[in-house]
Amino acid sequence: MYVQFKYLMSHVLQRFLWLTGVYVAAIILLKIRFHSYNSILEATTNGPSFEMIKTGHPYLPIFWILLLVLPMFIIGDSFNQIHQKLLWQIKSQRFTKRQVGLINLSFLVLLVLGYIAVIQTTMISVDLISLGFAGFLKHHLIAQYLAFNLMLFMSLLSLLVVQQLCGWIYRLFLLLVPILLVVYTAFSINTLNPLNLTMASRKMIMPHTSIVELLVGSLLLSMTYVLIYGKLEMK
């Protein structure tokens, strides 16, 4: 397990640092350039409301889309590449295929947590500097950040699992399908799509059951990944 984690970390670390670094720099520049938003969280997660789409005024929410798709580029095809290098070593340690799938899922969880920690620490720091501690409390940002991070964690984990499942079907689908799903969400008025919970302009309109649906969906996807992993990998 340690060897697999070590190889995975070394494989994705450079992409993690570069991509999150670029996004962090973009967040800071956005706050310097625009001051119309109360919070940088609102600025980066805002997007076209359902009403705007219905009236024919959609637009591409770049920061929101990047927030959701960057982890896909960070992990990419790393699992497949690492297992090609470590296949015999993993087998020699008598790991079952399901255990290897669980290790992969654990790595995805850690990746999402690390990604959220870096991005959200930057956002909170920017808001504290621009609004001050009193302003931070006045706008109820503590509750907003806590709720958003929970939604973001489940959404990112679900997207990464979908990415890996699609990669098993066809390598081109590894990035294509989950990215199309995110873009579709941005231009769709489907209130059943729980990814809308991560968009500032839509989260309050979403049904209360959407949170439960997102939680159940992320758990089912994770269990499905672990259960069927051995049938498609390490053959």
Side-chain angles (χ1 to χ4, degrees):
M1 181 175 179
Y2 170 75
V3 174
Q4 188 176 355
F5 259 88
K6 180 181 177 181
Y7 271 80
L8 283 168
M9 183 59 69
S10 63
H11 203 73
V12 305
L13 183 59
Q14 187 175 11
R15 290 200 296 268
F16 179 89
L17 293 175
W18 273 103
L19 292 175
T20 54
V22 169
Y23 193 80
V24 163
I27 289 173
I28 297 172
L29 290 174
L30 178 66
K31 189 60 179 181
I32 294 173
R33 179 67 179 83
F34 299 102
H35 300 280
S36 57
Y37 290 99
N38 291 327
S39 167
I40 193 65
L41 177 63
E42 180 186 356
T44 53
T45 62
N46 206 11
S49 65
F50 292 136
E51 190 62 32
M52 291 178 67
I53 296 175
K54 289 177 182 178
T55 56
H57 298 89
Y59 65 90
L60 194 65
I62 299 296
F63 277 89
W64 178 81
I65 289 177
L66 287 177
L67 181 65
L68 294 183
V69 304
L70 284 182
M72 303 177 199
F73 288 94
I74 292 173
I75 193 66
D77 194 31
S78 297
F79 288 147
N80 183 51
Q81 295 178 35
I82 294 301
H83 292 160
Q84 288 178 359
K85 296 180 181 179
L86 301 178
L87 179 60
W88 294 110
Q89 189 172 353
I90 292 172
K91 286 185 175 181
S92 68
Q93 295 180 1
R94 299 187 180 279
F95 281 111
T96 65
K97 298 174 182 179
R98 188 169 296 177
Q99 285 176 324
V100 176
L102 187 59
I103 292 172
N104 289 350
L105 180 63
S106 300
F107 187 83
L108 291 180
V109 170
L110 291 176
L111 173 63
V112 171
L113 288 175
Y115 176 77
I116 290 176
V118 173
I119 300 298
Q120 296 302 294
T121 299
T122 303
M123 288 186 179
I124 292 172
S125 299
V126 169
D127 277 338
L128 283 172
I129 292 171
S130 62
L131 300 174
F133 187 71
F136 194 87
L137 295 178
K138 179 182 178 181
H139 291 94
H140 308 289
L141 291 181
I142 294 178
Q144 290 184 38
Y145 272 105
L146 288 174
F148 175 75
N149 285 333
L150 178 60
M151 300 301 106
L152 184 61
F153 172 79
M154 292 188 290
S155 298
L156 289 178
L157 182 60
S158 299
L159 287 170
L160 289 179
V161 173
V162 167
Q163 177 190 28
Q164 298 305 313
L165 293 173
C166 291
W168 288 345
I169 299 172
Y170 187 56
R171 189 172 181 180
L172 181 63
F173 293 164
L174 189 74
L175 289 172
L176 181 62
V177 172
I179 290 176
L180 286 177
L181 177 60
V182 173
V183 174
Y184 162 78
T185 301
F187 292 98
S188 169
I189 57 173
N190 181 11
T191 57
L192 298 178
N193 185 347
L195 291 180
N196 288 312
L197 290 168
T198 61
M199 190 179 292
S201 55
R202 301 182 185 181
K203 60 184 179 181
M204 300 304 295
I205 308 175
M206 293 292 290
H208 296 301
T209 56
S210 298
I211 300 175
V212 178
E213 292 169 0
L214 180 58
L215 175 60
V216 172
S218 60
L219 289 174
L220 287 177
L221 282 169
S222 299
M223 289 189 293
T224 299
Y225 176 82
V226 173
L227 288 173
I228 70 174
Y229 182 89
K231 298 179 181 180
L232 298 175
E233 299 285 349
M234 296 178 64
K235 293 181 179 180

